[in-house]
Amino acid sequence: QFQLVESGGGLVQSGGSLRLSCAAFGFTLDRYAIGWFRQAPGKEREGVSCITSSGGSTNYADSVKGRFTISRDNAKNKVYLQMNSLEPEDTAVYYCAAESAYYADYFCHLTGMYDYWGQGTQVTVSS
């Protein structure tokens, strides 16, 4: 079974940093667009960032631009989300997702596009 596993979440104070990792098992991520999403209690899942299969293009939600950076390391079969200047509003469960369809690079910000999802990692930012 193909699996995505997120790690790196935890508790951090406002202004702090965390780096989330998304590791793939059973398939190679270099052919997949990868998205990071988050969901806070009582709220809908929202897109945070995504990266094309080639790594040549990235997208960010307005709320995280300038603070978060997505990257991929194909040699390690991993994708990362570096989160700096964290705020309490960033508190949520963070998920990574992967999709290899031909259109994936052009719709990587859409939750419904992805076939494979991780189980999520909790990020909590205190005031």
Side-chain angles (χ1 to χ4, degrees):
Q1 183 179 7
F2 296 165
Q3 287 186 307
L4 292 172
V5 180
E6 302 95 337
S7 62
L11 176 64
V12 64
Q13 295 184 14
S14 294
S17 298
L18 288 172
R19 188 179 74 161
L20 305 184
S21 297
C22 176
F25 299 89
F27 66 105
T28 302
L29 283 180
D30 61 359
R31 295 185 178 183
Y32 288 77
I34 305 296
W36 283 99
F37 299 83
R38 66 186 182 186
Q39 187 167 24
K43 295 185 177 181
E44 296 182 355
R45 187 171 298 183
E46 63 177 348
V48 176
S49 181
C50 58
I51 187 168
T52 60
S53 58
S54 68
S57 182
T58 58
N59 298 97
Y60 298 93
D62 289 341
S63 60
V64 306
K65 285 182 178 178
R67 299 189 298 121
F68 291 10
T69 303
I70 190 170
S71 62
R72 63 193 306 156
D73 186 339
N74 290 336
K76 296 182 178 180
N77 210 28
K78 291 182 177 181
V79 175
Y80 305 98
L81 184 67
Q82 179 67 46
M83 306 186 295
N84 299 326
S85 301
L86 284 164
E87 304 169 352
E89 291 75 17
D90 297 315
T91 296
V93 176
Y94 283 71
Y95 302 87
C96 67
E99 176 60 53
S100 65
Y102 70 94
Y103 53 78
D105 287 348
Y106 302 96
F107 297 98
C108 70
H109 61 292
L110 299 177
T111 302
M113 186 194 69
Y114 292 90
D115 287 335
Y116 303 108
W117 290 81
Q119 294 184 351
T121 184
Q122 177 71 48
V123 172
T124 302
V125 185
S126 63
S127 300

